[in-house]
Amino acid sequence: MKLGAMASTGSKRLLLQLGRNISYFGGRSCALYRCPMQPSQHTPIKNTFFSSTAAAIDVEVEVEEPVKNTTYSDLIRNRNKPSEKTFEKSIEKEEKPPFTYGHIRYINKEKGYAIIRDEVSNEQIHLKFTNIDISESAQHNAKFVNPVFSTGARVRFQVMPNPRNSAAMSAYDVQRWNGNKIPLLHYKDALTIALKSRAWLGHRCYEILDEEQDAAAMSEQIRQAYEDSNKSTEWARSQLTDSNKIIKECKAELGNEVFDILENIYQIDDVQRKVEEAFLRCERTLKELELLGIREEEEEPR
C-alpha cells in the first residue's frame, strides 16, 4: 500500500511538473497534455528530473513554495541571470569609455571655460571649468573652482554632446595626461571652503540642540551634519597637492606686503606695527593650512 500510494503520488507530481513545463508556452499545450490544473495552481518542484522508478523509492521530494506572479518562461529566462549583488559588482567594475587626449589651446578664467584641441581629429572641444570634476562636492563648491593649468598643457578627458550646440562636443572628467588630478582651488579658496563648512556645522548643531527631541535623535543628526560638513572639507583638502609650493606662496605674499609697507614708509605712522600685523596674518594662514594637512616637507637632497 505504501509503495503504491507513493507511486501514485510521484506519478501525479511528475504529470503536474510535465504539464507545467509545457503549459506556459501556450494554452494549447496545456490542453494537449490534459493537465487538470490551471497554470496558476502549479507548484514548481526543485528536482525536475524523475525516472520511472523514482516514484517507487521511499524518498522525500523537496518542494519549493509557489512563486507568485512568476511564469515558467520567467524562470527559464532568469535561470542564468546573475544575482543583484553580482550585477552591482559588475557595474562597479564596468570600465569607463576610453579617454580622449588633447592640449589646452585657450583659457578664459573670467568666464570659466577653456578650449581643448583633440590631438587626433584637431577638433576644438569646449571645456567648462565646473565639468573638470563632476563629483557632488565639486559641483557644490563650483563658484570657487579655478583650475591650475596653462595653455599647451596635455590632458585627457571624456566627451559628450554640448547641451547648447548638439553639433559640438564638450569635455568632462578632465585629468592631466598621466591620470593625475588637475588642482581646482587656490589655497585661499580651499581655506574659505573649510571655514564655511565648519561655520555651517556650527549653525546646524545649534538648530539641532535647540529642538526638543530625544538624545539619540540629536546625536544621529549631529553626526550626519558633521559628515556633510567634512565632505566639503575633504574635497578642498584633496585639491591642495603640493604642500611646499603652497607654503612658499603664502610666505611670498608676506614679502609682498612688507615690501609695500617699506615702499611707502614715509606715509605710514607705525611701520613696525604694520609689519607685525602682516606677519601674524601669514602665521595664522599657515596654521589654518596645517589643519588641512598642508605642512612644509623636507626636500630630498639632490
Side-chain angles (χ1 to χ4, degrees), residues 53-257:
T53 58
I57 301 175
D58 188 10
V59 295
E60 293 183 2
V61 180
E62 186 178 0
V63 180
E64 290 182 347
E65 292 295 328
V67 180
K68 295 183 180 179
N69 301 325
T70 303
T71 64
Y72 181 73
S73 55
D74 291 333
L75 295 176
I76 291 296
R77 283 196 301 268
N78 297 332
R79 179 173 55 187
N80 297 323
K81 186 177 180 180
S83 64
E84 292 183 1
K85 292 182 178 179
T86 305
F87 182 68
E88 290 175 359
K89 290 181 180 179
S90 65
I91 291 178
E92 292 176 359
K93 294 181 179 180
E94 186 178 357
E95 294 184 358
K96 292 182 179 180
F99 281 99
T100 302
Y101 289 80
H103 293 80
I104 303 294
R105 183 175 179 273
Y106 173 77
I107 299 174
N108 189 326
K109 292 201 172 186
E110 293 181 357
K111 295 185 178 180
Y113 77 93
I115 300 297
I116 303 176
R117 181 179 58 82
D118 188 329
E119 63 183 22
V120 176
S121 65
N122 286 328
E123 181 183 359
Q124 294 190 12
I125 300 173
H126 183 271
L127 168 63
K128 193 176 179 182
F129 287 172
T130 53
N131 287 340
I132 295 176
D133 184 349
I134 57 176
S135 65
E136 181 182 353
S137 296
Q139 299 304 309
H140 181 69
N141 298 290
K143 66 179 181 180
F144 295 104
V145 169
N146 183 20
V148 181
F149 55 21
S150 57
T151 54
R154 188 172 185 239
V155 295
R156 69 178 193 177
F157 52 93
Q158 306 283 345
V159 293
M160 63 179 178
N162 191 318
R164 296 185 178 181
N165 182 4
S166 58
M169 301 298 289
S170 292
Y172 71 99
D173 191 15
V174 185
Q175 306 168 5
R176 299 194 187 280
W177 68 271
N178 57 2
N180 292 339
K181 289 184 178 181
I182 296 175
L184 299 181
L185 297 176
H186 187 268
Y187 77 87
K188 289 185 177 179
D189 294 327
L191 290 176
T192 300
I193 291 174
L195 292 174
K196 285 192 171 184
S197 64
R198 292 172 192 169
W200 175 86
L201 176 61
H203 287 287
R204 181 65 185 132
C205 287
Y206 182 88
E207 292 175 357
I208 295 170
L209 295 171
D210 193 43
E211 297 173 359
E212 294 183 1
Q213 53 184 332
D214 61 280
M218 291 171 61
S219 177
E220 175 61 23
Q221 291 182 24
I222 290 176
R223 183 192 63 80
Q224 184 62 48
Y226 166 75
E227 290 182 357
D228 293 341
S229 171
N230 194 48
K231 191 181 297 183
S232 288
T233 303
E234 287 296 329
W235 178 79
R237 180 186 289 121
S238 69
Q239 303 304 313
L240 305 178
T241 56
D242 193 337
S243 298
N244 287 347
K245 183 178 179 180
I246 292 171
I247 291 173
K248 287 179 180 179
E249 185 177 351
C250 181
K251 293 178 179 179
E253 291 183 1
L254 169 61
N256 291 333
E257 283 192 60

